Amino acid sequence: MAFRIKNEAKDWFKYIRPHMEYDFDYYYLCLMAGMAKREKTPQDIPQVDTTELTQDFPGDYRLRGRLIIALLIKTDLEAMGIKLKERAALDAHIHRLIEPHSASGLSSEGERLVNRYANRGFEILLEWFDQRPRNLEIFLPLYKQKLEYAINENVAFKT
């Protein structure tokens, strides 16, 4: 398994991708939108309709991979209504998503789940923006504003 995003995402980000160090950068933007809204695609997107970006967290993301995984777990637990005091359900869910010896630290189920959040996040970006981003300096502040609004609407990111 790997981090995969809808084929259209690469084209949608084409004007700002040259300013990004990794393709994972735009995957991350999509992922954060999906997790902020606590929304994932109802099912896996067929591989033929997605592009594999990487099998591991690249570069600086490698240092933050555990935080991304923790946020994924927290977001999905809350979306499923599993409380932290429900130890058996919590433990079972974490064990389904984590594989410490894999390149990403996620099990194949965990990678499918993170891809579902990222792919729904891409759909959310299409809803948030009438046009594809053409300038990173204009896009990022608008993205941040919309992301903060989504976070404030949902308790997934609140501590």
Side-chain angles (χ1 to χ4, degrees), residues 4-64:
R4 304 186 70 85
I5 194 77
K6 288 183 176 182
N7 294 331
E8 308 91 70
K10 186 174 188 175
D11 186 54
W12 196 76
F13 284 101
K14 74 180 178 182
Y15 295 114
I16 63 172
R17 274 187 38 241
H19 306 289
M20 297 178 171
E21 189 169 352
Y22 309 103
D23 282 342
F24 192 84
D25 291 331
Y26 69 84
Y27 177 93
Y28 180 80
L29 293 172
C30 295
L31 177 62
M32 291 299 108
M35 289 199 301
K37 295 280 287 181
R38 288 197 326 186
E39 295 179 15
K40 58 190 173 211
T41 58
Q43 57 196 19
D44 295 343
I45 305 296
Q47 277 194 355
V48 69
D49 297 329
T50 63
T51 300
E52 179 178 324
L53 300 177
T54 182
Q55 293 190 0
D56 192 0
F57 293 102
D60 291 340
Y61 289 101
R62 190 167 292 122
L63 300 173
R64 305 287 189 273

Side-chain angles (χ1 to χ4, degrees), residues 32-145:
M32 291 299 108
M35 289 199 301
K37 295 280 287 181
R38 288 197 326 186
E39 295 179 15
K40 58 190 173 211
T41 58
Q43 57 196 19
D44 295 343
I45 305 296
Q47 277 194 355
V48 69
D49 297 329
T50 63
T51 300
E52 179 178 324
L53 300 177
T54 182
Q55 293 190 0
D56 192 0
F57 293 102
D60 291 340
Y61 289 101
R62 190 167 292 122
L63 300 173
R64 305 287 189 273
R66 290 182 183 166
L67 291 174
I68 294 169
I69 291 170
L71 186 56
L72 170 70
I73 292 169
K74 181 181 187 302
T75 301
D76 204 53
L77 287 170
E78 289 180 359
M80 294 177 65
I82 298 173
K83 307 285 185 219
L84 293 178
K85 61 185 172 186
E86 299 173 46
R87 294 294 184 195
L90 176 68
D91 189 54
H93 193 67
I94 290 172
H95 279 89
R96 280 197 319 272
L97 301 180
I98 302 298
E99 174 50 58
H101 302 295
S102 73
S104 65
L106 291 166
S107 68
S108 59
E109 186 173 340
E111 287 182 356
R112 284 194 313 273
L113 182 64
V114 77
N115 288 336
R116 288 175 59 204
Y117 276 105
N119 282 298
R120 177 62 186 128
F122 176 62
E123 294 169 355
I124 290 166
L125 291 179
L126 294 176
E127 294 167 9
W128 285 352
F129 296 94
D130 295 333
Q131 299 178 17
R132 72 183 73 203
R134 298 191 185 282
N135 181 299
L136 191 62
E137 292 79 16
I138 294 172
F139 172 74
L140 286 179
L142 292 172
Y143 170 85
K144 179 181 180 283
Q145 179 183 23

